[in-house]
Amino acid sequence: MSEPGSGGESLLFLTDEQLRKGIEAMFFAYRGFTADPDRILDGMDYGRAHHRALHFIHRAPGTTVNNLLNILGVTKQSLNRVLRTLLDDGLVESRVGKQDKRERHLFLTAKGAELERTLSDAQRARMRTAYRAAGPVAVQGFRQVLEAMMDPEMKRQYLALKEGGA
Amino acid sequence: MSEPGSGGESLLFLTDEQLRKGIEAMFFAYRGFTADPDRILDGMDYGRAHHRALHFIHRAPGTTVNNLLNILGVTKQSLNRVLRTLLDDGLVESRVGKQDKRERHLFLTAKGAELERTLSDAQRARMRTAYRAAGPVAVQGFRQVLEAMMDPEMKRQYLALKEGGA
DNA sequence: CTTGGAAAGTCAACAAGGCTGACGTAACTT
DNA sequence: AAGTTACGTCAGCCTTGTTGACTTTCCAAG
């Protein structure tokens, strides 16, 4: 039985108790993760769904509606409701595709980019504080565990975004 | 300007780009985190809110409604709707407090404990796979960053639970 | 012992953001 | 010419969150 400190790998970090703590940490941390943007959006006519759309359009300018649908993991009807308001309010611009005229390519307007920046600044500020407090080694572990937690398809999406932005 | 590899602490892990990757990792990982219980609950008459209630009642048997309210961070009306169905369906039992008879202490019934176990088994299985893949050092970092990401009040709740269960 | 306030429960109404199903149009593909 | 894909939209539904108002019960302080 692998004894802790005996030189072999201790498996004590895989006990149900440790796993439960990890689960609860995810629950409480995710609340903090979304708290700042939520606070900013509260009072505007937008919500978390608008934030997500803005984020990924910012990340992948010119993305198609279908692509965004896959990334966000919602139905087109659900996305459409959100996208509709962003388009009407002039935060997002939709351009007909040049190769394929069925596709719509999405871009942030100056106004949209401004709101995106406000939201992501707030979210990054918390992230930065947490990163700084935990240190670079912890951050690497953080990312490793999160990646291992994703569904394969989600991980594919995540890595595709990472490459594009690197 | 702190040069990477110059012996001092590199701060490259605090760049906006690194922070953005962390943000996206949280987004995609949380989807994976909730996917398995959601799948199980889909088709039953319960949802994620029921899962959360079951989890924390299991964790802290005899907890009061008010306490649960604080942990979950929702209004009593919202919790009541969920709790109502769990009580009616005999998954949760509510006992009048002995000291303070205004309080209701919540417990899982055998049936409730069974569903809770089914759900948490699924969630732990994914967690265990992720932990094993990333290794103990990564897991420690994972937990450190998550704790640093919580609001102070949430962190208090989280730590209180941890102590109780340790 | 009365009174103030806390804990709990409930009713009603509403909003955000998911979902399904159905349908229409334009444009690409075979 | 027919089939498929991308997008938009109408209609309706569900879950889970919110506020506000009101009641009952009961503890604790005056």
Side-chain angles (χ1 to χ4, degrees), chain A residues 14-77:
Chain A
L14 293 176
T15 61
D16 281 3
E17 179 61 16
Q18 290 298 311
L19 295 169
R20 189 192 51 69
K21 285 182 191 170
I23 287 169
E24 289 173 357
M26 274 298 278
F27 172 71
F28 288 111
Y30 198 77
R31 291 244 296 269
F33 173 68
T34 57
D36 302 318
D38 281 358
R39 228 180 329 264
I40 294 170
L41 288 163
D42 193 56
M44 303 197 208
D45 286 352
Y46 306 122
R48 202 178 291 179
H50 299 85
H51 178 199
R52 289 200 280 256
L54 289 175
H55 174 96
F56 285 108
I57 294 172
H58 170 74
R59 270 290 289 127
T63 185
T64 63
V65 172
N66 233 354
N67 190 18
L68 195 53
L69 242 40
N70 289 327
I71 291 173
L72 295 175
V74 296
T75 59
K76 66 173 175 177
Q77 294 91 329

Side-chain angles (χ1 to χ4, degrees), chain B residues 16-120:
Chain B
D16 281 3
E17 179 61 16
Q18 289 298 310
L19 296 168
R20 187 192 51 68
K21 284 182 190 169
I23 288 169
E24 288 173 358
M26 275 297 279
F27 172 70
F28 288 112
Y30 198 77
R31 291 243 296 269
F33 174 69
T34 57
D36 302 318
D38 281 358
R39 230 184 324 266
I40 292 170
L41 288 163
D42 192 56
M44 304 197 207
D45 286 351
Y46 306 122
R48 202 179 290 179
H50 300 84
H51 178 199
R52 290 201 280 257
L54 289 175
H55 175 98
F56 286 108
I57 295 172
H58 169 76
R59 271 290 289 125
T63 186
T64 63
V65 173
N66 228 3
N67 191 18
L68 197 51
L69 241 39
N70 289 327
I71 290 173
L72 295 175
V74 298
T75 59
K76 66 174 173 176
Q77 294 91 330
S78 195
L79 175 60
N80 189 256
R81 177 168 33 200
V82 165
L83 220 42
R84 182 78 268 135
T85 67
L86 293 175
L87 287 163
D88 289 350
D89 296 353
L91 300 185
V92 169
E93 195 188 341
S94 163
R95 298 183 203 151
V96 172
K98 286 186 175 170
Q99 279 82 26
D100 189 332
K101 291 180 190 164
R102 289 170 306 178
E103 295 181 340
R104 302 299 140 88
H105 298 275
L106 303 171
F107 299 87
L108 296 187
T109 63
K111 200 172 151 196
E114 189 190 331
L115 177 55
E116 196 283 328
R117 203 175 318 112
T118 304
L119 295 171
S120 78

Side-chain angles (χ1 to χ4, degrees), chain B residues 144-164:
Chain B
Q144 280 173 11
V145 174
L146 289 187
E147 286 186 30
M149 210 182 297
M150 297 176 196
D151 270 351
E153 174 61 14
M154 293 180 203
K155 186 162 179 179
R156 215 186 48 69
Q157 307 264 12
Y158 169 73
L159 292 176
L161 278 170
K162 246 177 60 170
E163 285 164 23

